[in-house]
Amino acid sequence: MKYQKLTPSQLNIMKTLWDKKEPMIASDFVQLDPSLNLNSVQSALRSLLKKNYIEVSDIVYSGKVLTRRYIPVVSSEDYASENINGVLKDLLSSNILLQYVESENDIKVIERLQEKLEERKKVLERKS
C-alpha cells in the first residue's frame, strides 16, 4: 500500500496511538500533551481518517457526551518501511546511494549489500 506523507502533527498523533496500543479519544491526546490544542487534534484525526491511517474503534461516553475512540489501521513498521522505500528511491534517482557504495571502504558492508541485492534479484526473477 502506498502511504501518503504525514504532517508533523499527524505523525505525532499516530506515534501516540502506536505507543498507547489502545483506543483513544481526542481529549486523551491533549491530556498526554497539554501543548496540543483540541481543535488541532480533531483536525488531524479527521485527516488521518480520510487517509485511512486510523479508524473509529467505537463510540463511548466522555462525561455526558458521546465521542469516538480511534485506533491505528497502519502499523508503525509498515509506515516506516514505506517511507524508507520512498527515500531509497529518491536516493537512487539522485545517484546518492550509488555514490555511497562507491565511497564505502568496509568490505563487510559491501558484502552485505551484495547479498541483499542477490536475494532480491532471485525473488524478482521468480516472479517473472
Side-chain angles (χ1 to χ4, degrees):
M1 178 178 179
K2 180 75 174 158
Y3 298 119
Q4 297 176 22
K5 190 83 170 151
L6 297 179
T7 66
S9 62
Q10 292 168 348
L11 188 55
N12 186 26
I13 296 292
M14 289 303 297
K15 284 179 181 176
T16 303
L17 284 169
W18 290 324
D19 290 343
K20 284 303 235 177
K21 295 179 178 29
E22 62 186 40
M24 296 178 64
I25 63 174
S27 61
D28 290 341
F29 296 94
V30 178
Q31 287 177 342
L32 289 171
D33 184 356
S35 70
L36 295 175
N37 175 302
L38 184 59
N39 290 331
S40 299
V41 168
Q42 290 171 333
S43 175
L45 289 169
R46 279 191 303 275
S47 179
L48 289 167
L49 274 170
K50 285 182 187 175
K51 292 179 178 182
N52 295 316
Y53 276 81
I54 63 172
E55 67 184 13
V56 175
S57 164
D58 54 2
I59 298 175
V60 297
Y61 277 98
S62 174
K64 295 182 180 183
V65 179
L66 284 172
T67 187
R68 299 173 181 175
R69 290 197 314 170
Y70 301 93
I71 57 172
V73 174
V74 175
S75 72
S76 59
E77 293 82 8
D78 287 345
Y79 180 74
S81 174
E82 182 70 31
N83 280 304
I84 288 170
N85 288 337
V87 168
L88 287 176
K89 285 179 183 175
D90 290 346
L91 290 175
L92 279 174
S93 67
S94 67
N95 292 325
I96 292 173
L97 187 58
L98 297 175
Q99 290 172 359
Y100 166 75
V101 170
E102 289 174 1
S103 67
E104 181 57 57
N105 293 320
D106 186 341
I107 190 89
K108 291 187 189 240
V109 171
I110 297 297
E111 288 171 349
R112 180 157 163 126
L113 284 170
Q114 186 174 8
E115 247 178 63
K116 291 297 178 184
L117 288 170
E118 288 298 323
E119 288 173 15
R120 184 66 182 149
K121 183 178 177 183
K122 287 176 185 174
V123 168
L124 293 175
E125 286 172 345
R126 281 189 295 238
K127 287 183 180 179
S128 56

